Amino acid sequence: IVTSPEKFQQNIKELIFMAKKYTNNIVFLEAIGVDETKVDPIPWARDRSYKNIYIKKYNGIIKKECQKNKVHFIEIFDYWVKSDYKNWLEDGVHPNSMGHKKIFEKVREFLISKKLI
């Protein structure tokens, strides 16, 4: 089942609303790009695909909701796909140890720049 953009946007709104009950220091991380040569189609679900164009679209929805709700948003997608990212993925979707290190570095940089750590 694919989540429609409208339902996804509603889900993000609800997550922000629930999180704001506990803190105003909320940070969303943009989804990373995938290696489409490995997941179009998805080997474990041959009737489905992961595509970077859709990831970018849904990242835009997250960013918009974060801006509307004054929530931090870490942009990483463009950095990721403009780099050696395919070597940072275990199976075309999930980061390997180097991928996690690259994500950590970007998150740490952002949190320091915003004085959140």
Side-chain angles (χ1 to χ4, degrees):
I1 297 174
V2 176
T3 304
S4 71
E6 297 77 20
K7 179 64 176 163
F8 184 77
Q9 181 180 9
Q10 185 60 38
N11 290 345
I12 296 299
K13 282 183 189 179
E14 289 176 22
L15 284 171
I16 292 170
F17 175 77
M18 288 187 288
K20 282 192 169 192
K21 291 179 181 178
Y22 303 98
T23 184
N24 285 320
N25 289 327
I26 302 164
V27 180
F28 274 77
L29 175 65
E30 195 170 38
I32 58 173
V34 298
D35 180 351
E36 293 178 359
T37 65
K38 292 184 177 180
V39 292
D40 184 18
I42 301 169
W44 53 90
R46 305 288 301 158
D47 59 329
R48 298 183 55 210
S49 296
Y50 290 125
K51 294 187 179 183
N52 287 323
I53 190 167
Y54 299 128
I55 294 169
K56 199 160 178 69
K57 177 180 180 175
Y58 282 75
N59 279 341
I61 293 168
I62 300 168
K63 183 177 182 177
K64 181 179 170 187
E65 285 306 313
C66 287
Q67 288 171 335
K68 282 201 284 190
N69 291 282
K70 297 180 175 55
V71 169
H72 296 289
F73 179 74
I74 302 174
E75 296 184 50
I76 194 170
F77 182 88
D78 287 339
Y79 160 77
W80 188 265
V81 297
K82 291 178 181 174
S83 63
D84 192 27
Y85 80 100
K86 291 180 182 181
N87 290 319
W88 301 344
L89 296 169
E90 187 66 33
D91 56 4
V93 177
H94 302 97
N96 58 25
S97 59
M98 181 55 72
H100 282 290
K101 181 178 186 246
K102 296 296 184 180
I103 293 168
F104 164 76
E105 289 168 355
K106 284 294 185 185
V107 170
R108 180 184 61 195
E109 178 184 301
F110 179 89
L111 296 174
I112 290 170
S113 74
K114 299 294 183 186
K115 297 183 177 20
L116 294 172
I117 59 169

